[in-house]
């Protein structure tokens, strides 16, 4: 568990369905042809053991995967789902293990890195506050502007030094010891209980049943759990447009994850969250939607502040709501999803002074 | 201390920090040095977060204010009578007439007549009057308006605007103009990227029938792929194969990205009624060799949207598409990928290719020397560093293709938004591991 594969090996496959592996085909060696043909027909892309999902709640359904290895499989092959006790990858058990069992964990779980960085920042701010106090002291004593400038220069320099020292010195967060309450986490044979499960977004679950047969349910069962038996088109419209957009990006190679932390619908990663920052924020709109200008501008501001590109993804319905609803009852999802067309624009603030050249 | 903080913020929000340079407040201590009583005044001082009980901030403020007043009260103001340019507003034409035109503004504003007079568009007239470059008068019927002058005030001028739209257009015009851009209205522009009236709609019809064929293929493909037996009927030996099967499902709008595609999409749309979002202004980046008679195609085009007008709304997708189809500017995505691209070879003036009409004038006026100088200047700027396909793809996705500026008016506040068409449906970004093994991919 402590050993981590390099990410290129760990995240080798972008989807939970893998291509079949074929032996090399040597043109002048007929035996290799036979072997190749045998391999071709004997292997299958589909999973032998489909991933088991459970549902919780009735009104707002939670779709969860509980098995350890299956949770990992979904995360490592396309970054599906979110650990309920973690930021995204289900790392709770590992982290707890590192905390309680052995202290030689290098603290390289993402959560730990962030915690460490925040601590450093806090220290830095304290230092800065101290210096501000010094300045005030000088002012109270009636120092001249020149004196003040000198002090400021001095402080700036020392802060810079402090910062560089901070980044070079690895101050590990202090170790915690086992508390009484932690004992509840152990099973009888001294192992840590898995309390965490992986929760899938409805669109992710749909993708993993309808587009790629990975979960052990059918698309029809899934939609029944999600929306019941819809009476009106409005009941299913939102889910359809969310899925259409999700499938659109997934199928062109993007790793789409929830963008709720940036006020949008999806974040697009070229490969996946551990490997790079998301560069696009996607917001879904109907092609005839009209929003108040503030709706666009506030979102643009948030997205630009996070250094991402703001994409408005418009979904246009090509069929009548009645047809869609009929198809839904028939379970004809393929026809439903292909009767929506998507179009995208990017929205950027434009600053005259920066475009004068 | 402040700077450190500022740098931190800048690192976090790189694109937003663009703004800061623009919104810097004028530093009067600089100007004060030019005035008569030039003494050494301090630069703008450090700014504190909150009051700290001392009077340091007040002192700094006082000094800065004093610098401003000293400068203002000591500088010579007024204009020279000899340089006064009079412009007469003609209520019938809704334009203004300048009988004896002179001044720098003539480079980019006004329309010269054969008799040496200049007609100013109304927004040009107001702009110049506000700047003090001209003095406005009213050209009234039935009186000798040249000798019996009726001067206009700035307030009068604002009353002469005919509609809110005109006023909004004026505000955007004026704003960009003050920032140094060259701005002209889009009507009666003679320059175009598009060749006038050569294609007919037959091309469009043909492409429609062509498009039906892949539709059928897709349907059959999807029926197989989304059936439970797909992995028995088909075997996938690489990730791209799986992705290619997946991405047949959702149709998407394709953005025209080549010269030919742009011309084709243009002709399909031109028969429609005028758009609800007219493109009002053409904008050029500041440049010295601008010729208002033959300006070439603009760098940007502006659509104006008044946020507070209940009759207007933010464009919907189809309205945006319509605007895209009407755009006619330097489509920067064409010239960016081609180092040898020259807009004169790809745009038309009055129906003729610019490189044929304008080149002659250029060589007569400026001579060859200026041309070669220019090309020398441009070269070191654009480094011919070929970008990797990966990077080029990112640029395509981020910058998009056709784009326009939406000027959002909010009670005199103008914010600009660049809206571009982008096309994720035509780009595949799946990860292809760079293996050196020679696996057969079929």
């Amino acid at each position: 568990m402590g050993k981590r594969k390099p990410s290129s090996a760990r995240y080798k496959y972008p989807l939970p369905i893998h291509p079949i592996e074929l032996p090399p085909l040597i043109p002048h060696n007929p035996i290799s042809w036979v072997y190749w043909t045998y391999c071709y027909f004997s292997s299958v892309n589909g999973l032998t053991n489909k991933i088991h999902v459970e549902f919780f709640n009735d009104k707002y359904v939670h779709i969860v995967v509980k098995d350890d290895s299956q949770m990992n499989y979904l995360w490592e092959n396309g970054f599906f789902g979110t650990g309920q006790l973690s930021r995204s990858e289900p790392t709770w058990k590992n982290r707890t293990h590192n905390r309680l069992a052995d202290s030689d964990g290098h603290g390289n779980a993402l959560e730990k890195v962030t915690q460490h960085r925040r601590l450093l920042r806090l220290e830095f701010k304290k230092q800065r506050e101290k210096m501000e106090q010094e300045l005030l002291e000088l002012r109270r004593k009636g120092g001249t502007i020149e004196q003040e400038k000198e002090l400021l220069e001095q402080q700036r320099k020392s802060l810079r030094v402090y910062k560089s020292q901070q980044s070079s010195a690895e101050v590990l967060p202090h170790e915690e010891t086992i508390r009484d309450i932690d004992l509840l986490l152990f099973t009888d044979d001294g192992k840590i209980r898995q309390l965490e499960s992986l929760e899938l977004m409805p669109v992710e679950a749909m993708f993993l049943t309808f587009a790629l047969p990975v979960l052990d349910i059918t698309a029809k069962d899934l939609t029944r759990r999600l929306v019941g038996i819809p009476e009106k088109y409005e009941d299913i419209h939102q889910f359809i447009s969310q899925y259409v957009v999700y499938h659109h990006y997934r199928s062109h190679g993007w790793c789409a994850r929830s963008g709720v932390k940036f006020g949008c619908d999806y974040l697009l990663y070229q490969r996946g969250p551990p490997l790079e920052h998301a560069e696009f924020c996607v917001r879904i709109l109907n092609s005839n939607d009209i929003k108040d200008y503030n709706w666009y501008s506030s979102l643009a501001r948030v997205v630009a502040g996070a250094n991402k590109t703001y994409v408005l993804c418009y979904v246009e319905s090509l069929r009548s709501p009645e047809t869609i609803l009929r198809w839904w009852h028939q379970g004809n999802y393929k026809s439903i999803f292909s009767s929506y067309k998507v179009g995208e624009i990017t929205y950027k603030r434009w600053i005259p002074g920066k475009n004068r050249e | 201390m402040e700077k450190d903080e500022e740098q931190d913020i800048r690192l976090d929000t790189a694109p937003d920090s663009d703004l800061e340079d623009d919104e810097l407040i004028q530093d009067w201590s600089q100007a004060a040095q030019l005035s008569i009583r030039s003494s050494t005044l301090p630069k703008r001082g450090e700014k504190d977060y909150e009051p700290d009980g001392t009077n340091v901030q007040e002192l700094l403020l006082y000094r800065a204010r004093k610098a401003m007043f000293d400068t203002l009260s000591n500088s010579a103001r007024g204009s020279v009578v000899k340089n006064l340019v009079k412009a007469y507003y003609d209520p019938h034409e809704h334009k203004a007439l300048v009988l004896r035109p002179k001044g720098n503004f003539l480079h980019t504003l006004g329309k010269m007549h054969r008799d040496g007079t200049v007609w100013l568009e109304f927004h040009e007239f107001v702009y110049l009057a506000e700047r003090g470059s001209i003095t406005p008068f009213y050209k009234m019927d039935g009186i000798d308006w040249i000798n019996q002058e009726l001067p206009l005030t700035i307030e009068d001028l604002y009353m002469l605007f005919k509609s809110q739209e005109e006023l909004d257009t004026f505000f955007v015009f004026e704003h960009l103009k003050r920032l140094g851009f060259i701005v002209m209205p889009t009507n009666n522009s003679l320059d175009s990227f598009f060749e006038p009236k050569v294609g007919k709609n037959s091309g469009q019809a043909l492409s429609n029938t062509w498009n039906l064929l892949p539709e059928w293929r897709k349907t059959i493909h999807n029926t197989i792929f989304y059936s439970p037996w797909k992995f028995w009927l088909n075997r996938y030996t690489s990730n791209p194969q799986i992705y290619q099967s997946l991405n047949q499902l959702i149709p998407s709008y394709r953005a025209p990205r080549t010269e030919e595609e742009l011309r084709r999409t243009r002709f399909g749309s031109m028969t429609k009624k005028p758009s609800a979002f007219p493109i009002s202004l053409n904008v050029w980046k500041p440049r010295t060799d601008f010729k208002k008679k033959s300006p070439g195609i603009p760098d940007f085009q502006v659509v104006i949207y008044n946020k507070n007008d209940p009759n207007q709304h933010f464009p919907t997708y189809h309205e945006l598409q319509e605007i895209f189809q009407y755009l006619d500017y330097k489509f920067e995505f064409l010239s960016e990928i081609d180092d040898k691209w020259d807009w004169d070879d790809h745009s038309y003036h009055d129906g003729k290719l610019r490189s044929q009409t304008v080149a002659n004038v250029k060589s007569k006026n400026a001579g060859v020397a200026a041309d070669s100088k220019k090309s020398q200047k441009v070269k070191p700027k654009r480094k011919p560093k070929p970008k990797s396909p990966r990077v080029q793809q990112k640029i395509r996705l981020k910058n998009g293709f056709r784009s326009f500026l939406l000027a959002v008016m909010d009670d005199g506040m103008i914010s600009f938004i660049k809206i571009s068409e982008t096309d994720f449906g035509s780009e595949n970004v799946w990860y292809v591991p760079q293996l050196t093994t020679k696996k057969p991919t079929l």
Side-chain angles (χ1 to χ4, degrees):
Chain A
M1 232 176 226
K3 269 181 269 168
R4 250 168 208 272
K5 284 190 248 170
S7 52
S8 60
R10 189 164 175 231
Y11 306 115
K12 190 174 160 199
Y13 297 105
L15 290 173
I17 295 291
H18 299 170
I20 55 174
E21 304 266 347
L22 290 174
L25 184 69
I26 303 154
H28 53 265
N29 182 355
I31 300 171
S32 85
W33 300 1
V34 176
Y35 184 53
W36 190 89
T37 324
Y38 167 76
C39 283
Y40 186 87
F41 286 103
S42 64
S43 39
V44 166
N45 290 102
L47 296 182
T48 38
N49 287 321
K50 287 201 177 175
I51 284 169
H52 177 64
V53 287
E54 285 174 35
F55 294 92
F56 281 105
N57 268 358
D58 268 333
K59 183 126 192 252
Y60 300 104
V61 183
H62 295 265
I63 308 157
V64 294
V65 175
K66 288 195 156 171
D67 182 80
D68 263 0
S69 64
Q70 290 187 334
M71 273 160 54
N72 261 329
Y73 185 82
L74 281 184
W75 174 258
E76 283 175 4
N77 294 278
F79 311 102
F80 290 94
T82 302
Q84 285 173 327
L85 303 176
S86 311
R87 195 165 57 187
S88 44
E89 184 185 351
T91 55
W92 177 83
K93 195 173 171 189
N94 270 350
R95 276 180 292 134
T96 315
H97 187 265
N98 286 347
R99 178 165 71 87
L100 300 177
D102 50 3
S103 50
D104 69 319
H106 294 292
N108 46 6
L110 289 172
E111 285 84 353
K112 236 174 181 178
V113 175
T114 313
Q115 194 191 358
H116 180 56
R117 183 165 43 93
R118 288 198 179 135
L119 269 175
L120 289 185
R121 184 76 195 151
L122 201 68
E123 291 286 314
F124 177 77
K125 279 189 177 158
K126 269 186 203 152
Q127 194 72 17
R128 200 174 53 189
E129 223 162 83
K130 217 187 282 168
M131 299 206 157
E132 254 161 48
Q133 212 55 44
E134 271 174 40
L135 182 71
L136 188 61
E137 209 56 36
L138 179 76
R139 276 187 189 172
R140 287 225 175 97
K141 279 186 211 146
T144 61
I145 304 259
E146 282 69 35
Q147 275 177 319
E148 230 175 74
K149 262 189 192 161
E150 210 172 293
L151 182 70
L152 276 172
E153 201 46 54
Q154 217 179 322
Q155 288 185 341
R156 243 175 235 156
K157 221 179 265 171
S158 73
L159 270 181
R160 224 168 283 146
V161 173
Y162 181 78
K163 205 165 190 184
S164 63
Q165 274 174 354
Q166 228 188 6
S167 55
S168 59
E170 278 287 314
V171 198
L172 273 171
H174 54 86
E175 293 298 322
E176 289 165 73
T177 48
I178 300 181
R179 299 160 297 177
D180 286 346
I181 203 163
D182 292 333
L183 297 174
L184 295 171
L185 298 173
F186 290 97
T187 54
D188 294 338
D189 50 349
K191 292 218 173 99
I192 295 169
R193 248 183 256 272
Q194 175 63 293
L195 297 184
E196 185 171 34
S197 42
L198 185 81
E199 178 156 357
L200 294 170
M201 292 194 286
V203 287
E204 283 176 326
M206 190 63 182
F207 186 78
L208 293 174
T209 47
F210 160 72
L212 297 173
V214 173
L215 306 183
D216 66 347
I217 42 165
T218 63
K220 208 161 184 181
D221 289 340
L222 176 69
T223 54
R224 184 146 306 170
R225 284 308 300 253
L226 289 172
V227 291
I229 297 164
E231 285 163 20
K232 308 189 294 292
Y233 171 71
E234 285 71 41
D235 296 341
I236 51 174
H237 173 76
Q238 203 195 355
F239 177 74
I240 293 177
S241 53
Q242 277 174 345
Y243 181 75
V244 163
V245 174
Y246 184 82
H247 188 109
H248 172 65
Y249 290 114
R250 269 283 175 190
S251 69
H252 285 99
W254 295 98
C255 165
R257 294 189 52 85
S258 164
V260 73
K261 297 208 173 160
F262 293 91
C264 60
D265 289 297
Y266 298 119
L267 289 178
L268 298 187
Y269 294 85
Q270 191 153 348
R271 285 193 61 197
L275 303 160
E276 84 254 293
H277 288 290
E279 281 177 89
F280 297 96
C281 281
V282 179
R283 192 77 163 97
I284 304 168
L285 281 167
N286 296 328
S287 59
N288 52 1
D289 266 354
I290 296 167
K291 304 265 184 194
D292 182 56
Y293 168 68
N294 292 357
W295 186 91
Y296 301 90
S297 69
S298 49
L299 198 49
R301 210 55 198 224
V302 172
V303 170
N307 220 343
K308 302 188 195 311
T309 304
Y310 179 23
V311 178
L312 290 174
C313 185
Y314 288 92
V315 180
E316 182 188 8
S317 172
L318 307 173
R319 296 283 183 156
S320 70
E322 293 78 38
T323 320
I324 302 285
L325 197 61
R326 200 179 65 236
W327 279 338
W328 184 275
H329 291 310
Q330 290 166 2
N332 188 358
Y333 302 110
K334 170 189 71 80
S335 304
I336 294 177
F337 297 137
S338 56
S339 46
Y340 288 85
K341 197 167 182 182
V342 297
E344 292 128 337
I345 62 154
T346 61
Y347 178 116
K348 228 175 267 164
R349 284 190 323 124
W350 188 81
I351 295 128
K354 288 278 152 178
N355 288 282
R356 228 178 322 211
E357 215 174 43
Chain B
M1 225 180 283
E2 238 272 304
K3 263 213 177 121
D4 261 332
E5 184 69 53
E6 216 167 67
Q7 265 169 359
D8 282 345
I9 294 168
R10 266 163 196 249
L11 278 177
D12 290 341
T13 61
D16 264 5
S17 67
D18 284 2
L19 198 65
E20 255 67 69
D21 297 349
D22 257 6
E23 292 187 344
L24 273 184
I25 305 153
Q26 213 162 354
D27 187 357
W28 284 93
S29 59
Q30 300 269 335
Q33 287 171 3
L34 304 172
S35 73
I36 309 153
R37 219 184 293 163
S38 74
S39 53
T40 46
L41 283 162
K43 288 261 298 172
R44 292 208 307 148
E46 297 290 332
K47 197 173 149 198
D48 285 351
Y49 296 117
E50 53 194 38
D52 59 358
T54 62
N55 61 359
V56 173
Q57 285 303 310
E58 266 141 84
L59 183 65
L60 288 172
L61 186 64
Y62 169 73
R63 285 188 187 180
R65 202 157 32 197
K66 193 166 180 308
M68 181 179 79
F69 287 133
D70 283 353
T71 313
L72 288 176
S73 58
N74 289 321
S75 57
R77 278 187 284 177
S79 54
V80 185
V81 179
K82 218 172 67 182
N83 293 341
L84 201 67
V85 180
K86 291 177 182 173
Y88 300 90
Y89 173 72
D90 184 328
H92 302 297
E93 296 276 331
H94 194 51
K95 282 180 186 173
L97 177 68
V98 184
L99 294 173
R100 276 178 294 278
K102 60 182 158 188
N104 258 339
F105 64 84
L106 291 167
H107 282 300
T108 55
L109 300 173
K111 197 170 181 201
M112 184 75 84
H113 254 248
R114 247 174 258 129
D115 57 1
T117 58
V118 161
W119 280 95
L120 296 171
E121 294 293 328
F122 186 64
H123 60 268
E124 297 175 332
F125 173 60
V126 180
Y127 167 73
L128 289 170
E130 276 195 332
R131 294 201 49 152
S133 306
I134 56 156
T135 318
F137 294 96
Y138 197 76
K139 181 173 170 244
M140 196 192 254
D141 289 342
I143 62 160
D144 177 12
W145 48 269
I146 297 184
N147 293 318
Q148 284 186 309
E149 284 172 339
L150 280 170
L152 290 165
T153 63
I154 296 295
E155 228 174 353
D156 296 335
L157 292 180
Y158 274 82
M159 283 170 67
L160 292 170
F161 278 106
K162 303 246 176 200
S163 66
Q164 183 66 40
E165 282 78 29
E166 193 189 9
L167 191 60
D168 287 342
T169 314
F170 167 72
F171 282 135
V172 178
F173 168 82
E174 172 201 56
H175 182 69
L176 289 171
K177 201 72 192 136
R178 280 176 202 270
L179 291 169
F181 290 90
I182 301 161
V183 192
M184 290 178 122
T186 42
N187 46 16
N188 59 53
S189 148
L190 287 173
D191 288 275
S192 173
F193 172 76
F194 300 97
E195 203 174 348
K197 300 265 175 195
V198 277
K200 278 166 206 150
N201 285 356
S202 62
Q204 184 75 11
L206 194 74
S207 70
N208 275 343
T209 39
W210 261 108
N211 285 340
L212 284 177
L213 212 67
E215 281 308 311
W216 272 104
R217 217 198 58 227
K218 265 188 191 173
T219 313
I220 296 166
H221 169 95
N222 285 338
T223 314
I224 296 172
F225 187 77
Y226 295 99
S227 75
W229 316 285
K230 62 177 149 193
F231 291 133
W232 302 109
L233 293 169
N234 221 335
R235 278 168 180 75
Y236 299 90
T237 55
S238 69
N239 285 320
Q241 277 181 9
I242 302 178
Y243 274 120
Q244 262 148 17
S245 299
L246 282 170
N247 68 26
Q248 306 290 314
L249 185 69
I250 314 280
S252 64
Y253 281 99
R254 215 179 156 313
R257 53 176 70 196
T258 63
E259 201 176 345
E260 208 210 336
E261 284 171 343
L262 278 172
R263 293 185 198 282
R264 208 171 50 216
T265 44
R266 170 84 164 185
F267 285 116
S269 67
M270 291 318 275
T271 46
K272 279 184 203 159
K273 57 183 188 321
S275 157
F277 290 90
I279 298 161
S280 350
L281 296 170
N282 281 338
V283 179
W284 287 264
K285 290 174 181 172
R287 54 182 229 221
T288 45
D289 60 342
F290 185 82
K291 298 222 164 42
K292 72 181 174 197
K293 261 192 184 162
S294 144
I297 46 179
D299 294 310
F300 309 106
Q301 292 194 297
V302 182
V303 174
I304 296 166
Y305 154 57
N306 190 327
K307 160 179 187 297
N308 300 319
D309 182 347
N311 298 320
Q312 293 187 35
H313 59 84
F314 197 89
T316 65
Y317 186 57
H318 294 292
E319 283 160 343
L320 287 171
Q321 275 182 320
E322 210 173 291
I323 299 173
F324 286 134
Q325 277 171 343
Y326 277 91
L327 289 176
D328 188 357
Y329 71 105
K330 281 182 191 155
F331 298 101
E332 70 280 2
F333 54 91
L334 292 176
S335 51
E336 258 162 23
I337 47 168
D338 187 352
D339 283 344
K340 293 192 204 95
W341 188 277
D342 185 351
W343 278 106
D344 284 346
D345 295 335
H346 297 274
S347 57
Y348 296 85
H349 177 71
D350 208 1
K352 286 178 219 115
L353 201 64
R354 260 180 78 85
S355 57
Q356 286 165 8
T357 53
V358 183
N360 299 335
V361 184
K362 236 188 213 169
S363 55
K364 260 185 225 159
N365 286 357
V368 193
D371 261 339
S372 65
K373 224 189 234 168
K374 217 203 285 165
S375 60
Q376 273 173 0
K377 239 189 242 167
V378 175
K379 260 177 196 164
K381 241 193 215 168
R382 259 194 230 152
K383 275 176 196 163
K385 205 191 238 171
K387 288 175 185 125
S388 76
R390 209 62 167 178
V391 174
Q392 282 182 9
Q393 185 181 51
K394 266 285 159 55
I395 293 173
R396 281 201 298 274
L397 287 171
K398 283 197 171 169
N399 294 349
F401 298 97
R402 292 179 293 191
S403 67
F404 66 92
L405 303 179
L406 187 70
V408 183
M409 302 293 302
D410 181 13
D411 292 332
M413 285 267 258
I414 307 169
S415 9
F416 291 99
I417 304 155
K418 188 176 181 187
I419 292 184
S420 3
E421 206 180 10
T422 185
D423 184 0
F424 282 70
S426 309
E427 307 282 351
N428 296 320
V429 302
W430 54 70
Y431 173 60
V432 183
Q434 276 156 355
L435 292 173
T436 38
T437 50
K438 317 131 228 158
K439 259 189 198 167
T441 40
L442 272 172

